[in-house]
Amino acid sequence: QVQLQESGPGLVKPSETLSLTCSVSGGSISSYYWNWIRQSPGKGLEWIGYIYYSGTTKYSPSLNSRVTISVDMSNNQLSLRLTSVTAADTAMYYCTSVVLGGDFFGIWGQGTMVTVSS
Amino acid sequence: SYVLTQPPSVAVAPGQTARITCGGHNIGIDGVHWYQLKPGQAPVLVVYDDTDRPSGIPERFSGFNSGSTATLTISRVEAGDEADYHCQVWDTNNDHVVFGGGTKLTVL
């Protein structure tokens, strides 16, 4: 059973870059599409984007100019980078997986809370 | 862009049936998926592809999708079902994921 664990700094200053890592265990990183999803306080879930192990990516139009998702096959990790953050980027960030051929998120990490504040 | 509309809240008494809707233009032709979110816990997929349940999800959770509305039904509601529920589709035209705004289920 695939397990996901997010990690990263809990506090980021405005205008700086948010960087998170998701460690994948118990499964092949090449068998899934890897997604990042976030939930701001009091709001709904927001899809950030996905990456396939080949490097193919797709991002939410609202974040496309600031987001980069990458995968490190050798370490079984994926990463999220979000530049020029503001308070609106304060959220719980989740790493999730989509089985090839599927379009739903079957496995989620516990999430990591990121606060943007000076 | 694709928009999914959910009621902000639904409240039912224990033992009753809760119905949470997710509205979208022609949503009936898409596969709709539902997630349960509880504070401090990872989200849980409770229904996928409109009607299917992952292993471990009680039969009390069921889904239906037709026309412009998808519905998550929770029968014989228990206190432990109190959570936020979010619907989701994959907009294949744009290769984007869309979530509804979420519905808070309160067990009275």
Side-chain angles (χ1 to χ4, degrees):
Chain A
Q1 173 78 338
V2 173
Q3 292 186 315
L4 308 174
Q5 181 64 61
E6 304 90 344
S7 61
L11 182 65
V12 181
K13 290 183 169 56
S15 80
E16 295 189 346
T17 296
L18 178 161
S19 295
L20 299 177
T21 297
C22 175
S23 297
V24 180
S25 60
S28 170
I29 206 164
S30 62
S31 300
Y32 301 86
Y33 284 86
W34 302 99
N35 291 253
W36 287 94
I37 291 169
R38 70 182 184 180
Q39 184 177 27
S40 300
K43 296 191 175 182
L45 296 171
E46 179 183 15
W47 177 71
I48 298 171
Y50 74 69
I51 188 167
Y52 187 50
Y53 82 100
S54 62
T56 300
T57 56
K58 189 74 173 182
Y59 303 130
S60 165
S62 63
L63 298 170
N64 187 64
S65 63
R66 298 193 293 128
V67 67
T68 302
I69 298 175
S70 58
V71 64
D72 181 349
M73 295 282 290
S74 60
N75 288 312
N76 259 25
Q77 289 182 334
L78 55 148
S79 299
L80 170 70
R81 189 168 175 269
L82 186 65
T83 62
S84 304
V85 297
T86 69
D89 295 309
T90 293
M92 180 71 82
Y93 285 78
Y94 295 100
C95 170
T96 76
S97 65
V98 175
V99 173
L100 296 183
D103 60 359
F104 55 86
F105 305 101
I107 299 172
W108 296 67
Q110 288 290 330
T112 186
M113 183 67 199
V114 178
T115 300
V116 178
S117 175
S118 55
Chain B
S1 60
Y2 209 117
V3 176
L4 298 179
T5 302
Q6 296 183 237
S9 62
V10 168
V12 297
Q16 299 302 304
T17 297
R19 293 179 179 84
I20 299 172
T21 58
C22 176
H25 181 66
N26 283 336
I27 195 175
I29 64 175
D30 291 314
V32 177
H33 321 295
W34 293 90
Y35 303 89
Q36 178 190 68
L37 277 73
K38 294 182 178 180
Q41 298 183 22
V44 174
L45 176 72
V46 294
V47 167
Y48 66 97
D49 290 348
D50 297 337
T51 61
D52 294 339
R53 277 187 315 277
S55 61
I57 300 301
E59 291 183 4
R60 300 185 298 104
F61 288 80
S62 63
F64 182 75
N65 184 17
S66 179
S68 61
T69 304
T71 303
L72 173 69
T73 300
I74 308 172
S75 305
R76 303 180 299 283
V77 166
E78 303 173 355
D81 298 331
E82 189 162 281
D84 291 335
Y85 292 85
H86 296 250
C87 59
Q88 174 250 316
V89 300
W90 200 297
D91 178 0
T92 53
N93 288 332
N94 297 297
D95 197 18
H96 293 155
V97 174
V98 182
F99 285 100
T103 298
K104 180 176 180 56
L105 173 65
T106 299
V107 181
L108 301 170

